[in-house]
Amino acid sequence: MWALTVAAVVERGGRFLFVEEPDKVTGLPVINQPAGHVEPGESVLDAVRREVREETGLNFTPEAIVGLYPLKAANGQDYFRVCFTGSVPEGAVAAPEDPDILRCHWLSRSELEAARLRSGWVLRCLEDALAGRRHPLDLVAEIRVER
């Protein structure tokens, strides 16, 4: 069964918003985009807004889809990541609400390359965003079930 996740690429002045969190296996700090699982009944747009707010304390406005990234992880789980690009309020200071997030960083691409990353998705999503990959948000259809 696929686990659906979302991630956000946020740029400000040539630097990108990342979170530092403990690796689930080693416990060592790793760098990731603000990202996480889509909850049951939640839309991917609502999920990415929620995840960015929880992990950085910032309100995220999705502007485009960067790409779709399937992965079979070492733990045997299949993940499917939807990566968005967008913005946070200018001048707002990142402060994690999620206790699992150690701190937030604004890193350049070269600083990211030198960091310990949560997965290969982190650099790939950034590279795709830097390459200008943008798909409209209406690529995701949201259908609400009425009862």
Side-chain angles (χ1 to χ4, degrees):
M1 173 179 260
W2 287 93
L4 182 60
T5 65
V6 292
V9 174
V10 180
E11 187 268 338
R12 184 187 283 169
R15 301 179 81 74
F16 300 88
L17 181 59
F18 292 98
V19 298
E20 185 177 344
E21 60 192 1
D23 182 79
K24 303 281 191 235
V25 176
T26 67
L28 296 172
V30 292
I31 298 294
N32 195 9
Q33 275 101 10
H37 294 269
V38 178
E39 295 177 356
E42 185 178 42
S43 75
V44 292
L45 288 170
D46 287 343
V48 73
R49 288 183 193 104
R50 176 185 51 76
E51 286 292 347
V52 173
R53 187 183 63 258
E54 288 176 358
E55 295 191 356
T56 71
L58 301 173
N59 290 321
F60 176 68
T61 302
E63 296 166 0
I65 297 169
V66 174
L68 309 173
Y69 304 89
L71 173 77
K72 180 149 197 105
N75 65 6
Q77 174 69 53
D78 292 311
Y79 293 94
F80 194 85
R81 178 185 247 202
V82 182
C83 183
F84 295 86
T85 188
S87 59
V88 296
E90 192 63 37
V93 176
E97 296 172 2
D98 183 335
D100 291 333
I101 301 301
L102 304 172
R103 63 191 56 82
C104 299
H105 300 279
W106 289 93
L107 302 174
S108 68
R109 185 184 187 289
S110 61
E111 289 170 325
L112 182 67
E113 288 178 335
R116 178 182 289 121
L117 304 180
R118 169 86 184 260
S119 77
W121 276 343
V122 178
L123 186 57
R124 174 64 190 271
C125 288
L126 179 60
E127 288 175 343
D128 287 351
L130 287 170
R133 294 193 182 182
R134 303 286 187 279
H135 305 283
L137 293 177
D138 65 4
L139 184 66
V140 178
E142 294 189 22
I143 300 172
R144 304 278 183 200
V145 177
E146 295 184 26
R147 294 174 193 214

